[in-house]
Amino acid sequence: IAGITQAPTSQILAAGRRMTLRCTQDMRHNAMYWYRQDLGLGLRLIHYSNTAGTTGKGEVPDGYSVSRANTDDFPLTLASAVPSQTSVYFCASRSGTGVGNEQFFGPGTRLTVL
Amino acid sequence: GQNIDQPTEMTATEGAIVQINCTYQTSGFNGLFWYQQHAGEAPTFLSYNVLDGLEEKGRFSSFLSRSKGYSYLLLKELQMKDSASYLCAVAGFQKLVFGTGTRLLVSP
């Protein structure tokens, strides 16, 4: 089934631990994004990638890193998790190069850092 | 920078019409999106406006005025399933910036 998958669905993590959130799309979209969504703050962009091999920083990149080794996968890594990173994380992708193309969102990962 | 404002919460009755406003101030503008997000789910695309005017799609319409930095989403013949958050997002250079969303509660 075409779309975006994220794993895990949810995770409880001890502070200081390393964690990688996985995102895979099979739509051959060039652009991919990671957002976090917090109550009252809306969706905020963490990192993005316009095409395989390139990445860029979004609005809230500190404490996160990404890689884009191929078109389909865009993992997000928390090197040393902190409680303020408790959030719902959404991965998204967009086809083509035009910013007017819609973004498709994955189902999200609910992360709790204790 | 970019600043996007939309009401936090709205209530309406089944069968009614509701208008959700969004105002924005941006350094670059390449269009405005509306997304719907049901509780616990991912956002899904509703509409995209890049030119001034009204775009109609079934029960949903979206309006844009670039000179006023203003958009609205109009929902007609409200149904219970329309209870959700509605996210306004401005397309800048290569990225979207989202507002905090408007939670719409539809009552019988």
Side-chain angles (χ1 to χ4, degrees), chain A residues 33 35 37 40-43 45 48 50 57-58 90 94 99-107 110, chain B residues 30-31 33 35 37 40-45 48 87 91-101:
Chain A
Y33 308 85
Y35 296 90
Q37 188 172 39
L41 296 177
L43 281 163
L45 183 65
Y48 66 95
N50 288 324
K57 293 182 179 180
F90 287 101
R94 175 175 59 80
V99 71
N101 294 336
E102 67 183 274
Q103 291 188 15
F104 293 85
F105 285 81
R110 184 174 296 274
Chain B
N30 288 300
F33 288 84
Y35 281 81
Q37 185 177 24
E41 298 183 7
T44 55
F45 169 80
Y48 172 66
L87 315 180
F93 179 64
Q94 296 182 333
K95 304 173 223 179
L96 288 184
V97 178
F98 284 84
T100 54

Side-chain angles (χ1 to χ4, degrees), chain B residues 60-78:
Chain B
F60 292 7
S61 303
S62 56
F63 172 83
L64 176 67
S65 169
R66 290 172 296 171
S67 62
K68 296 182 179 179
Y70 169 67
S71 174
Y72 67 73
L73 180 69
L74 192 70
L75 292 76
K76 302 176 185 176
E77 302 170 14
L78 280 173

Side-chain angles (χ1 to χ4, degrees), chain A residues 3-4 25 27 29-33 91-95 101-106:
Chain A
I4 302 178
Q25 54 103 359
M27 298 178 283
H29 286 174
N30 289 324
M32 296 187 75
Y33 308 85
C91 178
S93 71
R94 175 175 59 80
S95 66
N101 294 336
E102 67 183 274
Q103 291 188 15
F104 293 85
F105 285 81

